[in-house]
Amino acid sequence: MRYRTIGTDPATRREVSVLGLGAMLFGSATDEATSYAILDRYVEAGGTFVDTSDNYAFWHDGGQGGQSEELLGRWRRSRGIGDEVVVATKLGARPLAPGTGYLDNPEGLSAKVIRESAERSRERLGTAKLDLLYAHIEDRAVPLRETVEGFAELVAEGTVGLLGASNHRAWRVERARQLAADAGLPGYEVLQYHRSYLPRRLDLPGELDPDGDVGFVGPDLASYLRAEPQLTLVAYGPLLKGAYARPERLGPEYDVPSTPARLAALHAVAAETGATVNQVVLAWLLGADVPTIPLVGFSSVAQLDEALGAVELELTPQQRTRLDDTR
């Protein structure tokens, strides 16, 4: 396993494995025994960066979520896991009532919600401190300053370490970071968005926004990340739910002129290296122009083992050029 440091403050920064483990479906669609087996294998391989949220997976049973955090809490206690494994969680998108959604009825990002939801996450995870806490989605109904100050209070109290944002527009992230800097407060240092090898069409409506550009690393966010190298990008959905191995699963959002040529280049590099196409995608992300921590969810140990093989896969400059220059 390889590692990198996230965060800049010596008091809160952490060293994490370059491959993150997504626990979205643990305790719901993925049963407890399988979840434990995946977690155990991940840690055995040197993995130290697990991701969850307070609303995972509310859609599985029509509830409000919390199953993933609860399972991780049970697993941590049963294995004696301490702060050697960094657990990141999120708040802001938990439905306020069973049977509702995270867009039409979210908890939001008020100071009150931030404090109360973070406390419930600590209880479910069985920890006194959240290593990394994200604002899951934007909340335009609450002043940004209130959100910034609400998160900063928890850091000051020692119940939260690092702060992050997921699925926010780049300008909202920058405004929040500037508000924090002007007030001498901790700000967002880790950003979590969807990113993969195939470019996504941003002219189609997205799940989070009708404009289609929220939640994805498009040109604006990529440019922002290049200009702010102290930020860490964590990429969810990097393997497109298995579509690299089965391109017929690709949706219309990946129907762009470059897709056939990029898939051909991907398969050619996989054949050259003896790796799978999924491993090449992950290796490409790890060494991309915007260094990225891929966040991958698994339903079996075999899937995890395949992804682990990408960590030591070194693409040559020529292979990267072939992958990057395909238009």
Side-chain angles (χ1 to χ4, degrees), residues 38-49:
I38 294 168
L39 286 159
D40 290 344
R41 172 67 182 123
Y42 178 68
V43 171
E44 177 189 29
T48 64
F49 195 22

Side-chain angles (χ1 to χ4, degrees), residues 21-313:
L21 174 61
M24 176 189 285
L25 299 179
F26 288 1
S28 55
T30 305
D31 63 56
E32 186 146 327
T34 304
S35 301
Y36 276 36
I38 294 168
L39 286 159
D40 290 344
R41 172 67 182 123
Y42 178 68
V43 171
E44 177 189 29
T48 64
F49 195 22
V50 179
D51 183 89
T52 185
S53 174
D54 70 348
N55 72 341
Y56 292 164
F58 74 87
W59 57 91
H60 184 75
D61 61 2
Q64 293 173 275
Q67 304 99 310
S68 174
E69 289 184 331
E70 289 168 354
L71 181 138
L72 288 172
R74 293 193 297 273
W75 171 76
R76 291 178 74 254
R77 288 189 294 272
S78 70
R79 303 302 194 256
I81 297 292
D83 62 3
E84 68 272 20
V85 174
V86 173
V87 177
T89 193
K90 313 175 195 72
L91 57 79
R94 181 180 171 92
L96 286 173
T100 61
Y102 73 101
L103 293 179
D104 62 324
N105 195 30
E107 61 186 348
L109 296 172
S110 68
K112 181 175 184 291
V113 164
I114 290 170
R115 177 168 294 278
E116 293 177 352
S117 292
E119 182 178 355
R120 287 192 290 268
S121 287
R122 291 197 306 273
E123 290 174 355
R124 285 190 288 265
L125 289 166
T127 182
K129 182 177 182 178
L130 300 176
D131 301 311
L132 167 58
L133 180 61
Y134 293 98
H136 202 163
I137 58 174
E138 296 180 357
D139 183 357
R140 297 297 185 91
V142 171
L144 197 51
R145 183 179 300 276
E146 178 181 342
T147 297
V148 168
E149 293 175 349
F151 278 117
E153 284 180 4
L154 300 186
V155 176
E157 293 168 6
T159 56
V160 170
L162 290 164
L163 299 175
S166 180
N167 304 313
H168 285 51
R169 291 168 178 81
W171 71 265
R172 294 275 295 180
V173 173
E174 175 58 21
R175 180 170 294 180
R177 292 181 65 233
Q178 192 60 56
L179 284 169
D182 290 346
L185 300 174
Y188 299 141
E189 295 191 81
V190 185
L191 305 184
Q192 186 178 133
Y193 292 78
H194 171 71
R195 191 187 195 202
S196 190
Y197 171 62
L198 289 182
R200 183 189 186 277
R201 289 178 58 181
L202 301 180
D203 61 327
L204 297 178
E207 182 180 1
L208 294 167
D209 187 84
D211 293 335
D213 62 347
V214 177
F216 304 95
V217 179
D220 285 349
L221 185 58
S223 176
Y224 179 64
L225 287 161
R226 292 187 194 100
E228 302 290 338
Q230 73 277 21
L231 295 175
T232 299
L233 174 63
V234 175
Y236 64 80
L239 300 180
L240 306 184
K241 300 180 180 179
Y244 286 108
R246 299 181 62 181
E248 68 274 11
R249 293 184 177 181
L250 287 173
E253 64 270 29
Y254 296 100
D255 183 13
V256 299
S258 66
T259 290
R262 289 179 77 85
L263 286 175
L266 182 65
H267 281 270
V269 171
E272 270 183 22
T273 58
T276 67
V277 289
N278 285 338
Q279 289 170 336
V280 175
V281 169
L282 295 177
W284 178 84
L285 283 168
L286 288 169
D289 58 337
V290 177
T292 303
I293 297 177
L295 177 64
V296 192
F298 308 100
S299 58
S300 71
V301 172
Q303 292 174 349
L304 168 60
D305 282 336
E306 179 190 7
L308 289 169
V311 174
E312 303 303 329
L313 176 60

